[in-house]
Amino acid sequence: MRLITDYQLILDILTPEGRELGQTPVQVLERYVEDARFSGICSHALPPSCIAGAATLVPLWRQAGVDPSLTGFRLDLVCDCDGTSHRFSKSYGLTALQRPVQHATALLRDKGQLQLAESVRYRLCAFRTPAAPGNNRRLRRTSEVMPYPLQPQSLPPLVPPDRSASEAMTSAFSVLLSEQTRRDLEEETLRSIEVGTEQAGMLVGHLRHDPHRQQVFLHITAQVLADTQVERQMMAFHFHAETFLAARDAIRLRAQGEHIIGWWHSHPSCQACLQRQDCTVSTLFFSEQDCLVHEAAFNQPYMVAIVTGKASERQARKPAIQMFGWQDGCIVQRDYHCMPPSG
Amino acid sequence: MSATMTLNSLRGTDWTGQRRARVSQLTGSETVGEVVDELVPVMHLPSNVPYAARYGSTKLNRSERVGDIGLPDDAELTLAPEVSAGNG
């Protein structure tokens, strides 16, 4: 989707005292555009088939005409996909810029301009984009906006969400995890503890919308182990390009009409955790590397990630599940519903 | 196949099939890597990870010229990232 704007958004990274450490342009604005399109569909302001081609970015000034700093920005979308004109706007505050700030501070730390323990403040500014020079690109590039793979289906009755931590966010759409998938994940997690390496796989299922209740939901129907060219270690694993492509091919072979809707991996507990009944260690978290995987390979706003491992209040032999997903362009922990087998 | 085949454009899709783009006005002398590097930003994929390209079941070498590997015009390349995750 094309972003229409006269402005470039710049992040100023500052010391707590206000001294400027560095500046970086915000380069991932398309992520917010996708988030806005999906939010518009979830709120039924935009049709499920929406392929809005463009969004307009409007800076939200602290003091218009006086100060280049912003309290955030707004995206205005217009969609004529079904012959009717639909409009949707969504505003983003400074908290939605967590990832660009993390990237900018990581860069400053790499350059030695910021110590590991040092905290920072940040300021978002907008400046008029200088007049673009003539287009010297020899190659012509065009992007195609795809509709989300939404299919109509009635939302089944939901049991209360499984909140594995109190801070889990409630999102604009529900996620349903099939009981069989939950059991598979637990079994694979226990296996990963036995072999002492992380385990990983893809989550497959369907993105649905209930036309009567006007709700969007994601149904995770199965997991497909990532077996091809995965380098597993106790603390990490590496996905090669072939890992993703082989998993995609395996999903096609299932011939269930499923889509790739996310991924999962285990953070196995150590042997000491297994020995102690009263161990309060938790291995359930989403690391910086996990964020990079989610951004690179699972960047649609409905895609989720599951981390399995030891919860602080549970024994290591009873693995717990935490789910993460996109919200306002950020990766956050989110809630989900377990789905008992039908019939 | 022959390097003289007319190859004007190539399409790109990410491994999930949800992001698509096209590069046109090719001469055939561009390398696979150059085409991938053109597709990544226009598909709004993060530029801080490397991507491999595949045509059907064939893995493509980044240094090969697209005109030398027998790609039909408007062929679809699938891009997939190389990434690490974990507990670290």
Side-chain angles (χ1 to χ4, degrees):
Chain A
M1 198 186 304
R2 194 161 54 93
L3 182 65
I4 302 167
T5 179
D6 294 332
Y7 295 93
Q8 183 173 33
L9 300 190
I10 301 285
L11 271 175
D12 283 342
I13 308 295
L14 313 163
T15 64
E17 296 76 36
R19 181 171 59 85
E20 192 174 302
L21 289 167
Q23 282 191 335
T24 183
V26 182
Q27 289 177 322
V28 289
L29 289 167
E30 290 78 10
R31 185 179 300 157
Y32 302 98
V33 176
E34 279 294 344
D35 174 78
R37 176 165 71 120
F38 191 60
S39 298
I41 292 171
C42 289
S43 65
H44 284 260
L46 300 175
S49 58
C50 173
I51 50 167
T56 305
L57 184 145
V58 180
L60 302 176
W61 306 103
R62 284 187 192 281
Q63 290 179 285
V66 178
D67 181 355
S69 69
L70 309 178
T71 58
F73 59 92
R74 192 182 76 228
L75 292 172
D76 295 340
L77 278 75
V78 180
C79 167
D80 302 309
C81 307
D82 59 358
T84 308
S85 187
H86 304 270
R87 290 175 184 277
F88 179 72
S89 295
K90 182 167 178 178
S91 295
Y92 295 86
L94 298 183
T95 52
L97 294 162
Q98 283 169 13
R99 287 297 290 160
V101 170
Q102 284 168 0
H103 283 303
T105 52
L107 213 59
L108 289 169
R109 289 192 176 108
D110 287 348
K111 289 178 182 170
Q113 292 173 261
L114 189 67
Q115 298 306 308
L116 198 60
E118 274 186 283
S119 59
V120 294
R121 290 167 47 203
Y122 60 97
R123 177 172 60 197
L124 179 66
C125 296
F127 298 98
R128 287 249 175 217
T129 312
N135 186 0
N136 292 325
R137 296 197 79 86
R138 186 177 60 76
L139 299 179
R140 186 160 178 266
R141 309 181 302 178
T142 48
S143 65
E144 183 184 347
V145 181
M146 299 291 293
Y148 296 118
L150 274 157
Q151 293 294 322
Q153 191 182 71
S154 295
L155 177 65
L158 298 178
V159 292
D162 188 328
R163 288 175 188 270
S164 43
S166 56
E167 65 265 31
M169 302 280 281
T170 302
S171 180
F173 65 103
S174 302
V175 177
L176 284 53
L177 177 66
S178 75
E179 179 60 21
Q180 184 59 51
T181 310
R182 191 187 65 76
R183 284 188 203 152
D184 286 352
L185 295 181
E186 284 185 359
E187 283 173 21
E188 292 298 340
T189 304
L190 288 173
R191 199 165 298 144
S192 76
I193 296 172
E194 285 165 17
V195 295
T197 60
E198 292 198 356
Q199 184 61 281
M202 311 301 163
L203 300 171
V204 301
H206 306 277
L207 183 62
R208 308 283 200 191
H209 71 99
D210 183 329
H212 301 294
R213 295 170 70 174
Q214 298 206 329
Q215 282 194 34
V216 171
F217 61 100
L218 189 71
H219 188 186
I220 302 170
T221 52
Q223 66 88 24
V224 174
L225 276 181
D227 273 343
T228 305
Q229 289 195 15
V230 175
E231 292 170 23
R232 294 190 183 87
Q233 297 163 15
M234 177 65 191
M235 302 285 278
F237 60 85
H238 185 82
F239 280 130
H240 287 275
E242 284 305 307
T243 316
F244 292 110
L245 298 170
R248 189 192 62 171
D249 293 345
I251 293 159
R252 283 181 181 161
L253 281 176
R254 286 169 56 87
Q256 304 283 315
E258 295 158 320
H259 297 275
I260 296 149
I261 54 178
W263 65 299
W264 76 274
H265 72 293
S266 63
H267 285 172
S269 52
C270 67
Q271 290 299 320
C273 295
L274 283 174
Q275 309 300 329
R276 287 184 50 184
Q277 299 275 321
D278 58 346
C279 173
T280 57
V281 165
S282 171
T283 63
L284 296 172
F285 59 89
F286 213 59
S287 70
E288 172 62 22
Q289 283 177 306
D290 298 339
C291 287
L292 290 175
V293 171
H294 204 63
E295 287 170 340
F298 304 91
N299 40 39
Q300 293 292 322
Y302 57 84
M303 289 182 166
V304 295
I306 286 176
V307 175
T308 63
K310 187 188 171 315
S312 57
E313 73 282 6
R314 292 172 79 160
Q315 292 176 23
R317 293 199 186 279
K318 294 180 179 173
I321 287 173
Q322 263 186 16
M323 187 174 287
F324 299 82
W326 293 103
Q327 180 154 303
D328 301 339
C330 302
I331 301 168
V332 297
Q333 192 187 334
R334 59 152 303 144
D335 62 6
Y336 63 94
H337 303 263
C338 274
M339 277 291 294
S342 56
Chain B
M1 273 189 243
S2 163
T4 58
M5 278 182 68
T6 306
L7 181 68
N8 176 60
S9 67
L10 288 170
R11 289 176 292 134
T13 178
D14 76 333
W15 77 284
T16 68
Q18 282 296 299
R19 290 179 187 266
R20 291 172 189 270
R22 176 182 273 115
V23 176
S24 53
Q25 298 178 350
L26 295 166
T27 62
S29 64
E30 300 83 2
T31 64
V32 170
E34 286 167 347
V35 171
V36 168
D37 292 345
E38 290 284 336
L39 286 168
V40 164
V42 78
M43 289 166 72
H44 306 310
L45 295 171
S47 56
N48 56 347
V49 293
Y51 293 85
R54 191 166 79 165
Y55 172 61
S57 58
T58 308
K59 277 200 275 189
L60 304 180
N61 188 323
R62 283 183 69 90
S63 60
E64 281 184 297
R65 292 178 188 274
V66 291
D68 293 343
I69 50 180
L71 296 173
D73 189 30
D74 216 31
E76 183 173 275
L77 311 185
T78 305
L79 273 52
E82 306 260 353
V83 273
S84 293
N87 201 347

